[in-house]
């Protein structure tokens, strides 16, 4: 076979006088990773062929041949009987070549009125749209699990922290709802991102549209897109939607990493606040007593790779002139790995969170340390007419006395407290208890158990709606 015959095997080979270098062929091929788009590529091609028939570019018989052929190719792929070829570069040309092998010259008509540029843009959007729906479902499952756990632990008292120092008493349920609020924002960002993903680029062709009498509204309707894109140049070169998804993913993973850090701390013997089921932990090869919180640790670690993928895509796009450039082949691996990582981490958390067990006594004992009701004492004095700054100083002196005596404020006698302010009376002990402290903040967003249960109810109604 002559070199010119070898080049003609490529769908674009007519212009070339020598075959592609073997290394360059491997270097530029994407079929090793973009073959996961096969289902969406075939779905898009069926819609494209249907539209071409409706506008008279294909006959009804040609359309049906193409659709039947594509369905047969999909069956081969799903049965593991499809041989992917690096020489055909990508998922699109592999499928088109197999289609032509099956149905002959009619298969070559499928590409009429489109380019691989708008084809791949459509495939990625179709794929990402489906994956967003899967991720949204897993995110919802995790949110439900958090609500169940928060409701169960609405009365469980634990220390609240700032600077990782004991600050004020809170309930474990209230703490969990703080995590929940982060996930609410993540879910909203995901759905907002989906709106911009669900725009159809097919019909932009290589960059300037096509001279064929296509009807893009037909294709958009068949594929479930909200609308067709407005500008052909932007349609083939836009990867904002992928960057936006990775931005969502980076924020979600940052939140999961924060959850993970607390779970790792809380399972340590120094805190000993919770227990994770054995099935989410591993042991040590040398230390038989170890029970390691590997799932939270690994989720915390995977956050870095997702953040890296966001930076990778931002950097990929930052200097590209319009319209399509080969650089954009590098969009898929970061996007695909981000999707896989997010799905895996959400599944792990959605399975694990409902099974977390609170060590109620340990949490309560920790809340008694660190003078966590000091602010409540200051508030008590203010309500009796003491200016806040004076109250702050009074309580500071009482705390210093407690440090020296190694006793909490609630463990002091009335006489000892009155040496710092004569305004203090016997009712002070109502605010110095842990229960009194959390119950006193009985307002929207507060720590009181009733507020936690009410927040859970509102959240469940929102999820159901």
């Amino acid at each position: 076979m002559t070199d010119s015959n070898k080049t003609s095997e490529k769908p674009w080979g007519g212009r070339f006088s020598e075959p592609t270098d073997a290394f360059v062929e491997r270097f530029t091929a994407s079929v090793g990773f973009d073959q996961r788009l096969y289902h969406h590529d075939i779905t898009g091609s069926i819609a494209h062929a249907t539209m071409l028939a409706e506008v008279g570019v294909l006959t009804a018989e040609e359309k049906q041949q193409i659709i039947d052929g594509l369905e047969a190719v999909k069956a081969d792929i799903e049965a593991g009987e499809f041989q992917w070829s690096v020489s055909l570069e990508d998922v699109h040309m592999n499928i088109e070549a197999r289609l032509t092998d099956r149905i002959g010259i009619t298969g070559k008509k499928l590409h009429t009125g489109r380019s691989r540029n708008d084809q791949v843009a459509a495939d990625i959007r179709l794929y990402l749209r489906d994956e967003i729906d899967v991720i949204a479902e897993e995110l919802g499952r995790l949110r439900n699990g958090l609500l169940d756990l928060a409701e169960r632990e609405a009365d469980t008292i634990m220390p609240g922290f700032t600077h990782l120092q004991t600050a004020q008493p809170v309930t474990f349920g209230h703490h969990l709802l703080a995590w929940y609020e982060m996930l609410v924002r993540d879910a909203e960002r995901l759905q907002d991102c989906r709106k911009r993903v669900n725009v159809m680029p097919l019909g932009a062709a290589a960059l300037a549209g096509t001279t064929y009498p296509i009807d893009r509204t037909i294709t958009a309707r068949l594929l479930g897109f909200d609308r067709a894109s407005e500008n052909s140049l932007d349609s083939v070169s836009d990867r904002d939607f992928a960057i936006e998804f990775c931005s969502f993913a980076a924020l979600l993973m940052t939140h999961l990493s924060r959850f993970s850090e607390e779970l790792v701390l809380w399972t340590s013997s120094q805190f000993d606040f919770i227990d994770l089921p054995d099935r989410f932990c591993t042991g040590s090869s040398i230390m038989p007593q170890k029970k390691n919180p590997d799932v939270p640790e690994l989720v915390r670690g995977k956050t870095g790779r997702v953040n890296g993928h966001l930076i990778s895509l931002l950097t990929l796009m930052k200097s590209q002139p319009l319209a399509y450039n080969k650089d954009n082949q590098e969009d898929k691996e970061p996007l695909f790995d981000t999707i896989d990582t997010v799905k895996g981490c959400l599944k792990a958390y959605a399975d694990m969170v409902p099974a977390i067990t609170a060590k109620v006594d340990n949490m309560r004992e920790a809340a008694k340390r660190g003078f966590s009701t000091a602010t409540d004492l200051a508030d008590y004095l203010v309500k009796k007419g003491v200016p806040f700054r004076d109250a702050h100083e009074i309580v500071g002196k009482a705390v210093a006395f407690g440090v020296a005596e190694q006793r909490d404020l609630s463990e002091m006698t009335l006489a000892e407290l009155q040496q710092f302010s004569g305004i203090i009376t016997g009712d002070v002990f109502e605010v110095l208890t842990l229960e009194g402290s959390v119950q006193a903040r009985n307002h929207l967003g507060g720590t009181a158990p009733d507020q936690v249960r009410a927040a859970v109810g509102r959240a469940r109604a929102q999820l159901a709606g």
Side-chain angles (χ1 to χ4, degrees), residues 131-142 190-191 346 350:
E131 294 297 331
I132 283 174
D133 292 343
V134 172
I135 289 168
E137 187 174 338
E138 282 296 284
L139 190 50
R141 197 162 67 88
L142 172 55
L190 181 62
Q191 291 307 314
L346 280 175

Side-chain angles (χ1 to χ4, degrees), residues 344-379:
C345 291
L346 280 175
K347 175 174 171 48
Y349 256 77
D351 290 346
M352 178 181 68
V353 163
I356 291 173
T357 302
K359 296 186 176 182
V360 178
D361 292 341
N362 292 354
M363 285 185 170
R364 180 182 175 81
E365 190 61 34
K368 290 168 63 177
R369 298 192 295 269
F371 303 94
S372 63
T373 58
T375 303
D376 298 281
L377 178 57
D379 291 342

Side-chain angles (χ1 to χ4, degrees), residues 64 97 107 112 166 174 178 187 237 292 369 375 427 434:
Q64 198 56 51
T112 305
T166 298
H174 187 68
S237 58
N292 300 324
R369 298 192 295 269
T375 303
D427 62 346
L434 297 178

Side-chain angles (χ1 to χ4, degrees), residues 37-47 118-133 194 197-202 219-220 222-225 241 339:
L37 297 174
Y38 79 88
H39 174 80
H40 300 89
D41 189 74
I42 290 172
T43 299
S45 291
I46 289 173
D118 62 340
Q119 185 179 358
V120 67
D123 287 1
I124 296 172
R125 286 174 181 270
L126 288 168
Y127 172 79
L128 181 55
R129 185 182 69 188
D130 284 354
E131 294 297 331
I132 283 174
D133 292 343
R194 192 187 190 281
V197 169
N198 204 32
V199 177
M200 189 194 72
L202 279 174
T219 322
L222 290 170
L223 292 173
F225 283 111
F241 65 92
I339 291 168

Side-chain angles (χ1 to χ4, degrees), residues 374 377-378 390-403 409 420:
L377 178 57
D390 293 341
H392 190 285
E393 183 177 359
I394 290 169
V395 176
K397 290 178 180 178
V399 168
F401 175 78
V403 170
L409 294 171
F420 305 107

Side-chain angles (χ1 to χ4, degrees), residues 199-246:
V199 177
M200 189 194 72
L202 279 174
L207 77 161
T210 177
T211 59
Y212 294 96
I214 62 172
D215 187 338
R216 299 180 69 209
T217 62
I218 294 173
T219 322
R221 174 175 49 79
L222 290 170
L223 292 173
F225 283 111
D226 291 334
R227 61 180 178 87
S229 56
E230 292 285 341
N231 184 279
S232 61
L233 289 166
D234 179 62
S235 298
V236 297
S237 58
D238 170 36
R239 295 299 184 270
D240 297 2
F241 65 92
I243 294 172
E244 185 176 1
F245 172 80
C246 287

